[in-house]
Amino acid sequence: MPDDFERGKELQAAGNLDEAVVAYRQAIEVDPTSFRAWNNLGTTFEELHDFDQAVECYQQALEINPTQSIVHYNLAHALHRMGRVPEAFGQYVMAVDLNPQSFAAQFNLGLLLYDRMEWTGAEAAFRRTLEIAPDEGRVHQCLGDLLFDRRRMDEALPFYERAMELDPTNPEYAFNTGKCLRPLGELDQARRMFERSLELNPNSQIAREHLLDVLLRQGRDQEATEVCEQHLKKSPGDAVILHRLAAITGVNAPIRASDEYVQNTFDAFAGNFDATLSELQYQAPQHLATLAGKCLPTASRQFDILDAGCGTGLCGVLFRPYAIRLVGLDLSGEMLRLAKERDIYDDLIQLELTSYMQNRHSAYDLIIASDTLNYFGSLSEVFRAAATALRADGRLIFTLEHKGGDTRDWSLQAHGRYCHSESYLHKSLGDSGFLVEASSIQILRLEASQPVWGWVVAARRPESLAILPRLQ
C-alpha cells in the first residue's frame, strides 16, 4: 500500500484534488520536514485556485530546503498568477540561478519581463530558453512577438517561420507569420499565411480581416468580395463581414457602422491594437493634444472630459493632465479592459456614443474623439448629441479621414471607414450649433506604407445654443 505522499500524488494526477490535500497533509503530519510534501500540497492548492495557501506551502518548503529550484519556480508561478509581479520576478530569478537549465523558469521569466515591457531582459530570457529547448514553437512565437512589437520585422520573421515549421497546424502561428510578412511588403506570402490560418480556424475574424486587407492592397477586389460572400453563406448575420462587403462593393452602404460591427471588430483587434498602431505610425492622438494645447488653457486638471471611443487609452494618457474627471467610452469591452490597465480614467463605460451623449446634458467641458467619427457617414446626429453633452463654451476636438478629390458629402471606403468632404464637415458642425476654431489636414497614420490624411478639428459650443431637434 503506498504511503500518504505517494497516495497524494496518485490522487492529484487523477484530479481528485480535495482528497490529495488530505493525503499530503497526512504525509506532513508523519514528516513535517518533507519539502516534497509541502511543495506538492502547494501545487494542489494552486490547481484549486487557492493561491494564498499555495504560497504558504511553497514558503514552508523553502524554509526546509531553500536550494530547490522547482519550489522557487512554483512559488514564482503562484505569485505571478496573483499579480504580485515584483515578488514573482525575484523567485523566477532565484529558480534560474539554481538551475539555469530550467525551461519553465527561463520561459516564464521572459513572459513576465515581456508583460512589464522590459524588452532587453525578456529577449535575453527567451533566447536562453531556446538554447534549452530549440524546438519549442511557443518560445519562437514569443520571441517573434517581442521583435515584432519592437518593429524589428526582419528579425521577427525567422522566429515566426520556425514556429510554423514546428507546428504547421497552429492557426495562430500561420496568422502571425502573415502579420509579419505584410509590413515587409511580402503580400503574396502574407495572403497565403492568412488563408492557411483561416483553413485551420475558419472562425478567426482577425485572420479574415487581414486577408481582406491584403487582397484589397493587391487590387484583388473580386477575390475579397468572394471571401465575404463565402463566409456569409455560413454566417449570414455576421455584422463585420456585411459591413466589409458593403464597403468593398459600394452596395447598400449604411449611414454609419453598426454597433455590432464596431464591437466585434475592436474586440477581435484589441490584443494587437497598440502594436499595430505603432507599426502604422499612428499620430492622431498627438495631433489632438497639440491642437488642445493651442485652444485650451495650460493643463491644470480643471475639465470634465469625455474620451469618445477611447480604445486602449492612447488619447487618455495625453489628456489626463487637463482633466479633473476623465471618462472613457467605447463599445468594445476588450478595449475597455485594456484601457483600465492604464489606470488613467475615473470611469469607463461601454455604450454607444450618440445615445450616451444625448442623455448627458451639459456634462462635459471637452469631448475628444480620435478616429472615432470615422465610423459615421452622416455626422448630423452625433454632432448634435455632442452639442447636448457639452457645457457652454465647451469644445469638441476630433479627427476624421479625408479623401482628396471626392466631392460627395461622405463615402464608405473599402477598408470599412468613412471619409468626409470639407464642405459637409463644416456644414454639419454649423447646423449643430458649433463654431469651428481650428481645422487642418494632417497625416493620421500610414496604411499600405502610404499616408492616411485626415481632418484635425476643434469646434466650440457657444454660450448661447438654440435647442436643436433630435433627428428621426
Side-chain angles (χ1 to χ4, degrees):
M1 182 175 180
D3 62 23
D4 292 322
F5 177 74
E6 292 299 327
R7 187 163 57 85
K9 288 172 60 179
E10 292 173 4
L11 289 166
Q12 185 179 5
N16 299 319
L17 301 180
D18 290 328
E19 295 176 55
V21 168
V22 172
Y24 286 134
R25 287 201 183 281
Q26 290 172 341
I28 289 168
E29 286 181 12
V30 173
D31 181 7
T33 64
S34 172
F35 82 87
R36 294 193 304 155
W38 282 109
N39 178 68
N40 283 28
L41 181 58
T43 62
T44 307
F45 277 128
E46 197 168 348
E47 287 186 66
L48 288 166
H49 297 279
D50 189 340
F51 300 116
D52 288 326
Q53 290 211 66
V55 166
E56 290 178 12
C57 291
Y58 296 141
Q59 289 172 336
Q60 186 64 44
L62 289 172
E63 284 185 20
I64 297 165
N65 190 338
T67 64
Q68 292 297 315
S69 172
I70 189 171
V71 186
H72 284 285
Y73 167 76
N74 287 339
L75 177 56
H77 187 263
L79 292 167
H80 198 173
R81 295 179 71 181
M82 295 172 76
R84 294 163 61 177
V85 173
E87 296 168 84
F89 171 76
Q91 292 299 321
Y92 281 136
V93 170
M94 184 70 73
V96 167
D97 287 344
L98 290 167
N99 180 11
Q101 294 303 304
S102 171
F103 167 84
Q106 290 279 15
F107 183 49
N108 278 24
L109 176 60
L111 292 175
L112 183 148
L113 292 168
Y114 188 5
D115 288 342
R116 292 173 64 176
M117 294 186 288
E118 295 184 22
W119 310 116
T120 302
E123 181 178 347
F126 287 144
R127 290 188 183 277
R128 287 193 299 268
T129 308
L130 283 178
E131 292 174 3
I132 299 166
D135 293 333
E136 277 286 344
R138 56 184 166 158
V139 187
H140 286 277
Q141 183 76 5
C142 287
L143 187 48
D145 285 344
L146 184 150
L147 295 168
F148 183 88
D149 288 349
R150 305 306 297 155
R151 303 182 68 186
R152 293 158 61 184
M153 313 301 184
D154 289 322
E155 296 175 69
L157 182 59
F159 291 102
Y160 283 139
E161 291 177 328
R162 181 57 179 153
M164 189 66 187
E165 289 172 7
L166 291 166
D167 186 359
T169 64
N170 189 310
E172 183 183 359
Y173 292 179
F175 170 77
N176 282 338
T177 304
K179 179 187 73 175
C180 191
L181 285 162
R182 187 172 71 165
L184 291 171
E186 302 291 346
L187 298 186
D188 283 331
Q189 293 182 57
R191 173 175 50 82
R192 286 193 287 271
M193 286 294 102
F194 294 139
E195 289 171 342
R196 176 61 176 159
S197 184
L198 276 173
E199 287 174 12
L200 296 168
N201 179 12
N203 296 320
S204 174
Q205 178 183 320
I206 194 167
R208 188 173 292 104
E209 285 279 293
H210 278 68
L211 174 59
L212 290 173
D213 290 341
V214 168
L215 289 170
L216 293 172
R217 281 180 61 179
Q218 292 186 302
R220 303 165 78 152
D221 292 23
Q222 183 56 41
E223 290 178 57
T225 299
E226 291 169 3
V227 168
C228 293
E229 291 173 341
Q230 286 297 318
H231 177 70
L232 289 171
K233 288 178 181 178
K234 297 179 291 183
S235 303
D238 189 319
V240 172
I241 299 304
L242 285 169
H243 183 88
R244 290 304 303 266
L245 182 61
I248 294 165
T249 63
V251 177
N252 298 322
I255 63 170
R256 50 154 289 194
S258 70
D259 293 355
E260 189 178 1
Y261 168 78
V262 173
Q263 182 174 350
N264 291 349
T265 295
F266 286 96
D267 277 349
F269 190 26
N272 296 299
F273 186 76
D274 287 1
T276 300
L277 292 186
S278 175
E279 172 197 339
L280 299 177
Q281 300 178 36
Y282 183 53
Q283 302 174 53
Q286 287 75 20
H287 288 315
L288 293 186
T290 299
L291 184 55
K294 297 176 181 177
C295 297
L296 300 175
T298 303
S300 58
R301 290 187 176 269
Q302 67 191 90
F303 298 120
D304 287 311
I305 300 177
L306 173 65
D307 188 353
C310 63
T312 63
L314 295 175
C315 251
V317 171
L318 300 175
F319 280 84
R320 178 72 255 187
Y322 290 96
I324 189 172
R325 184 167 182 266
L326 179 63
V327 175
L329 181 76
D330 208 288
L331 270 170
S332 167
E334 285 301 302
M335 287 289 194
L336 291 172
R337 181 181 63 80
L338 294 172
K340 185 177 182 180
E341 293 178 3
R342 292 188 189 271
D343 196 27
I344 55 172
Y345 292 97
D346 298 291
D347 199 5
L348 288 165
I349 300 169
Q350 186 176 5
L351 284 174
E352 192 278 322
L353 173 60
T354 305
S355 61
Y356 173 81
M357 294 192 297
Q358 286 171 341
N359 291 290
R360 295 297 185 278
H361 292 266
S362 302
Y364 294 103
D365 303 296
L366 175 64
I367 298 172
I368 54 175
S370 177
D371 279 10
T372 301
L373 303 183
N374 295 334
Y375 296 93
F376 292 79
S378 172
L379 296 171
S380 299
E381 189 170 12
V382 70
F383 280 166
R384 287 169 181 251
T388 297
L390 283 169
R391 295 172 182 142
D393 213 34
R395 288 173 174 82
L396 172 65
I397 301 180
F398 63 94
T399 63
L400 270 179
E401 289 190 20
H402 165 71
K403 186 178 182 182
D406 193 336
T407 58
R408 292 173 292 178
D409 287 350
W410 56 266
S411 58
L412 178 59
Q413 303 300 298
H415 48 52
R417 300 184 302 275
Y418 294 85
C419 294
H420 302 80
S421 71
E422 181 177 16
S423 60
Y424 175 70
L425 168 60
H426 283 259
K427 182 177 186 303
S428 297
L429 285 168
D431 289 347
S432 300
F434 282 104
L435 302 175
V436 176
E437 285 191 315
S439 174
S440 65
I441 298 177
Q442 305 288 342
I443 296 174
L444 303 180
R445 68 181 170 280
L446 301 181
E447 195 162 275
S449 302
Q450 298 300 312
V452 174
W453 295 90
W455 300 105
V456 182
V457 181
R460 182 172 60 85
R461 177 194 183 280
E463 292 187 14
S464 176
L465 179 67
I467 297 175
L468 298 166
R470 183 175 297 182
L471 297 181
Q472 301 297 320

